[in-house]
Amino acid sequence: MSIFLSHTTALETLRRWDLRHRLATGERCGAPVPVCLPRGAELAGLLAQVPRPAEGQPIEVIVASGRPGVRASGVCVHLCREPLPPGSAFQLTDKVVCASPELVALQMTPMLTDLELDVLLAELLGLYAVCPQTEDGMFQRREPLMTPQSMRAYLDALGPRHGTARIRRALTRTCVCSGSPLETKLTLRLSLRPSLGGYGLNVLAMNAPVMVRRINDSLAVGVRKPDILIGEPQDGPVPDFSRVVAVEYNGWRHGNPTRAAQDAARSNELKARGIPEYVVWKEQYDDLDYMDGLVARIRRDLGVPRVGLTSRAVAKRRRLRQRLYEELELIDGIHWNGRERERRRGQGASELAYAPESDWDVVPVEAYGF
């Protein structure tokens, strides 16, 4: 018999450093869901091959029949009675399979708030893996585990199942090719619409190559990859960089003199290309007034017209921006407890409701030119 790792256990497996090269190749298989869980020594032997979860957390698996729940062995069993399409797993060992990134996203959707789902998808679509044991709390990948196209293709193969509609909506909001958790959080703050606490800016790309001329040799051509490129909505798969603004998030490693000199060279080459660049450090990220002022200047650079809002609308938007910042600070990629926080607040739904814009704006969103 075999076991099929799922949910948070599968996510932690996807984050394993020793599997990064296998996962980068897009290795997938169509392993069937086991009918039931092995018992006794056989189960113990299989569990010994599984990455140990965080203290107090069970190992999560799926089976095709039986009763769900946590067993005495420390295994949490989930039922999956419907067959899974090809590409739902990858082979970890002869008798241990793990859910694919696309399936993990679907499995975890019911337990997540919409904002947590955005953060999870950003990691699976990004160039990093959360890893609390490392100095940076993460390590970087060369390629994402999945793409928006592979996620949508998997949803098409699944058909209408619980959670698929939420993921499709989230794919229109979340980040693609983010390089770190804080890049993800900064991008969500910049791009989510104002009713969700964001600034409503249009993110064209993250870590996308931009051709530049080298400052020390104008005949030499190079490539720079700004963390975030913001511009007006554009048609076509290739962004037009003729009128964009770059935003760079600087973590603690950027304080190193050598790294600082490299950052200056990148910034100068982008400016020479006609792309203004703004740099955000953690201290500025945490300062709501600073972020408000920064976004005002980005809008000015892009030629986005200013609009008038009532004092009530201004105050509400500021509360939403503060709430979004606070909620993102609580999402660490390990403890998915946003729904519990909502219950503790005594709310049926967060004020950051993923619903159509309310009517408290003086002008429609289209007036912003986003």
Side-chain angles (χ1 to χ4, degrees), residues 32-304:
V33 178
V35 176
C36 60
L37 192 66
R39 296 184 179 182
E42 183 180 8
L43 176 60
L46 293 176
L47 295 182
Q49 305 172 41
V50 176
R52 304 309 301 172
E55 185 176 355
Q57 297 297 316
I59 294 175
E60 298 187 84
V61 301
I62 54 174
V63 296
S65 65
R67 296 180 60 185
V70 180
R71 304 292 191 263
S73 58
V75 176
C76 179
V77 176
H78 302 269
L79 289 184
C80 181
R81 293 191 175 94
E82 298 183 56
L84 295 173
S88 295
F90 69 92
Q91 201 79 32
L92 192 59
T93 68
D94 289 344
K95 293 188 176 182
V96 179
V97 296
C98 178
S100 67
E102 293 84 0
L103 179 55
V104 168
L106 181 71
Q107 290 172 335
M108 292 186 63
T109 293
M111 61 186 282
L112 305 179
T113 64
D114 284 330
L115 189 57
E116 286 178 322
L117 179 58
D118 292 346
V119 172
L120 173 64
L121 287 175
E123 179 180 348
L124 298 176
L125 295 165
L127 302 173
Y128 65 93
V130 171
C131 186
Q133 297 81 14
T134 64
E135 189 176 17
D136 293 321
M138 51 156 270
F139 66 83
Q140 292 196 307
R141 305 182 187 276
R142 292 184 178 180
E143 299 290 338
L145 293 178
M146 67 181 193
T147 65
Q149 294 76 18
S150 72
M151 185 74 248
R152 291 189 177 97
Y154 186 74
L155 296 177
D156 291 340
L158 280 170
R161 298 195 191 185
H162 182 62
T164 56
R166 281 187 66 198
I167 293 179
R168 290 186 189 277
R169 290 194 297 269
L171 288 173
T172 67
R173 302 184 304 261
T174 196
C175 312
V176 179
C177 288
S178 172
S180 72
L182 272 166
E183 278 185 32
T184 291
K185 294 179 179 183
L186 174 59
T187 304
L188 288 172
R189 290 180 69 188
L190 293 174
S191 63
L192 287 176
R193 64 178 186 251
S195 65
L196 301 178
Y199 289 101
L201 297 175
N202 184 63
V203 173
L204 296 175
M206 298 187 70
N207 295 292
V210 177
M211 301 300 294
V212 296
R213 293 282 183 180
R214 296 303 188 195
I215 294 293
N216 60 341
D217 183 357
S218 60
L219 297 179
V221 176
V223 173
R224 293 296 184 181
K225 296 182 178 181
D227 290 347
I228 308 166
L229 281 175
I230 298 171
E232 296 180 355
Q234 299 172 1
D235 296 326
V238 180
D240 176 12
F241 296 145
S242 60
R243 190 172 188 180
V244 297
V245 170
V247 179
E248 197 77 15
Y249 181 84
N250 276 3
W252 66 274
R253 290 187 182 278
H254 290 261
N256 177 281
T258 301
R259 186 67 176 270
Q262 294 170 347
D263 291 341
R266 179 204 63 241
S267 181
N268 290 339
E269 288 172 355
L270 288 174
K271 289 174 183 175
R273 168 74 195 270
I275 300 177
E277 181 189 53
Y278 292 96
V279 177
V280 177
W281 293 79
K282 186 64 166 66
E283 293 79 5
Q284 293 146 359
Y285 175 91
D286 293 336
D287 187 335
L288 187 59
D289 289 331
Y290 188 93
M291 291 298 296
D292 287 350
L294 176 66
V295 170
R297 282 157 180 77
I298 291 174
R299 287 174 174 157
R300 178 200 61 193
D301 291 343
L302 295 174
V304 177

